[in-house]
Amino acid sequence: MRVLITGGNGYIGSHTCIELLAAGHAVTIVDNLSNSSPAVVERIARIAGRQPEFHQLDVRDAAGLERLFARQAFDALIHFAGVKAVAESVADPLKYYSNNVCGSALLFDAALRHGVTRLVFSSSATVYGEAARSPIGEDAPLAPANPYGRSKRMVEELLADLCRANPGLRAVALRYFNPVGAHPSGRVGEAPGGIPDNLMPYLCQVAVGRLPELTVFGNDYPTPDGTAIRDYIHVVDLAQGHLKAFDYLEREGGMHFINLGTGRGTSVLELLAAFERVNGVRIPHRMGARRPGDTTETYADAARAAQQLGWSTRLSLEDMCRDAWCWQKLNPAGYA
Ligand code: NAD
Ligand code: UD1
């Protein structure tokens, strides 16, 4: 298959490109490089032993998309491109509706007109919102608590409407839990600009000496050690879930919503301890206040992915910590 990957230079997209190339697919990347480096393309090629095609393009550039689709036929589309910082989405909602919602609408329009029938969309567990009870199944009510989450829900609804209107179209929205880790080669990984918002990249930057200490956001949660619980998933497992979603769309029509998580919860202090143990490093840290909007406990019901995709995670918390640290040590300043 020739697969179009939007946002393929980003964290999850780059790992998925590697898995697709390794499985023998041809890959075309579209990315506007707003949150990634052009260097990623060569890293992907070195690991996979095959070259992806790359186009620097914004998914909101309708004329650019038209030229791309007119030149080349695609069997499938994986749509990663978008913006993803919760706090920024509250301060600048239009950036989120423009990139995530308008961008998706323009992209799907071009894809449909050019005969693409299989779509995979990067959604997020954030669509469930703060009140959802874990383990969270796909039929839980959706109540996203911020513009980022609402933009993801809107695109899910847009895709479902497109599937209803176009019986030949098949789509999966994959709801990711907390992707962490890096490719075991240490050559691609997560490279956030500025100070990271998320726990694992923050922890890595403390370990490598770029940040002085980690603040644990709240140790008064009603959990065994008082810190909040999440479902961390290795990015390579997550990437492989996308290939399984393709296989599924070979067999099944219509629109599907599927969680990608391990189904297991890990607390902040458990992750910290695993990172120190596996990597033999000390992470200076202190207890701080809860972060507004954080949930106590969020982890997936991963049964639907197992039953429908035949997919479940293989890599452990230790693998996540080891690979995240390997990437950070080899690339202390990311791709810079
Ligand atoms: P990322 O920022 O590393 O990758 C996104 C890529 O899209 C970047 O390379 C960026 O340059 C590109 N991009 C952004 N806007 C674009 C546009 N308008 N046109 C073209 N390219 C554009 O993020 P990621 O962590 O790899 O996330 C990928 C997707 O998965 C996003 O849609 C995100 O919302 C979703 N997601 C991520 C997480 C997570 O924790 N990383 C969790 C749930 C869902
Ligand atoms: C965040 C996003 C969520 C997104 C998810 C993707 C917010 C409010 N939510 O969720 O929309 O889908 O990332 O992975 O931004 N922590 C610390 N210290 C830190 C950083 C984090 O203690 O410096 C804690 C947090 O309070 C949380 C846990 O670590 O309990 C994980 O945090 P994070 O990696 O930001 O993920 P989420 O909160 O799940």
Side-chain angles (χ1 to χ4, degrees), residues 125-210:
T126 200
V127 296
Y128 295 117
E130 292 164 16
R133 285 179 61 88
S134 293
I136 305 177
E138 289 84 350
D139 296 329
L142 303 188
N146 49 65
Y148 167 62
R150 284 190 279 277
S151 76
K152 289 291 175 190
R153 182 179 63 186
M154 285 180 194
V155 178
E156 286 194 353
E157 288 173 350
L158 166 60
L159 260 183
D161 284 338
L162 285 178
C163 285
R164 275 188 282 271
N166 299 275
L169 184 63
R170 303 164 167 222
V172 182
L174 296 174
R175 294 176 178 158
Y176 311 152
F177 279 68
N178 290 61
V180 297
H183 191 268
S185 64
R187 296 190 61 83
V188 296
E190 187 170 16
I195 296 177
D197 294 321
N198 300 114
L199 179 58
M200 185 67 101
Y202 200 103
L203 218 154
C204 285
Q205 292 201 11
V206 173
V208 85
R210 282 177 70 182

Side-chain angles (χ1 to χ4, degrees), residues 84-87 124-127 130 146 148-149 176-180 190 196-203 213-218 221 227-232 266-268 271 286 289-296 298:
K84 59 167 187 177
V86 172
S124 168
T126 200
V127 296
E130 292 164 16
N146 49 65
Y148 167 62
Y176 311 152
F177 279 68
N178 290 61
V180 297
E190 187 170 16
D197 294 321
N198 300 114
L199 179 58
M200 185 67 101
Y202 200 103
L203 218 154
E213 66 174 3
L214 174 78
T215 302
V216 176
F217 294 149
Y221 284 102
T227 64
I229 289 175
R230 296 288 183 275
D231 187 339
Y232 299 99
T266 301
S267 75
V268 176
L271 183 71
R286 65 180 180 84
R290 292 185 184 192
R291 182 171 64 180
D294 270 356
T295 55
T296 300
T298 298

Side-chain angles (χ1 to χ4, degrees), residues 25 29 43 50 101 106 120 156 160 170 200 209 234 254 280 330 332 334:
H25 300 297
I29 297 173
R43 303 256 184 134
R50 293 176 53 220
V101 182
L106 289 166
V120 177
E156 286 194 353
R170 303 164 167 222
M200 185 67 101
H234 196 296
L330 290 175

